[in-house]
Amino acid sequence: MDLIRELMLKLESLPMEYGDNVHIAPDTPAVHVEGYSFSQLAYHLDLIVQAGFTERSKSHPTIGFMFKGLSWSGHDFLDSVRSPDVWDKTKKVASAAGGFTVDLLVATAKTYLETKIKGLIGG
């Protein structure tokens, strides 16, 4: 999940205008993550697409996909786990529970964020 989060942060930061389409592949320099192989990056990029975290304009005949931007659920996921503090705490909870799904990670992160917000507003 660390790689998914890192790739999502990189996808979000791509310098794109509304309506742009960019071919994203495991060897795209803008999404390269040090310490991971081409195959690992390809697999995790596919998982991001399968999870519905991206808006795709069309399939691409080679490895990769045409990226239009993050989907609503992609933004939701990323906004839930963006903070390194929230991400670390979310991973600790998932590890202690002995397993997780993407939905459970997001729910855990949101619960932690809600608790922080309640503390800030005195609720």
Side-chain angles (χ1 to χ4, degrees), residues 13-109:
S13 70
L14 290 174
M16 296 176 61
E17 297 290 327
Y18 182 76
D20 284 352
N21 292 288
V22 178
H23 180 249
I24 300 295
D27 57 355
T28 302
V31 297
H32 178 73
V33 179
E34 194 66 38
Y36 290 95
S37 70
F38 181 91
S39 293
Q40 289 171 312
L41 292 169
Y43 178 72
H44 285 79
L45 285 168
D46 281 346
L47 289 176
I48 287 170
V49 171
Q50 289 173 31
F53 288 167
T54 63
E55 294 291 338
R56 294 176 8 162
S57 60
K58 61 182 178 176
S59 296
H60 200 273
T62 61
I63 292 177
F65 61 98
M66 293 303 292
F67 177 69
K68 288 175 50 174
L70 298 181
S71 66
W72 186 272
S73 62
H75 282 289
D76 191 52
F77 168 79
L78 196 50
D79 288 341
S80 298
V81 299
R82 180 182 312 282
S83 161
D85 177 54
V86 172
W87 181 238
D88 288 342
K89 294 207 181 331
T90 300
K91 290 191 310 180
K92 286 179 185 170
V93 169
S95 178
F100 58 87
T101 65
V102 170
D103 291 338
L104 286 173
L105 279 176
V106 171
T108 301

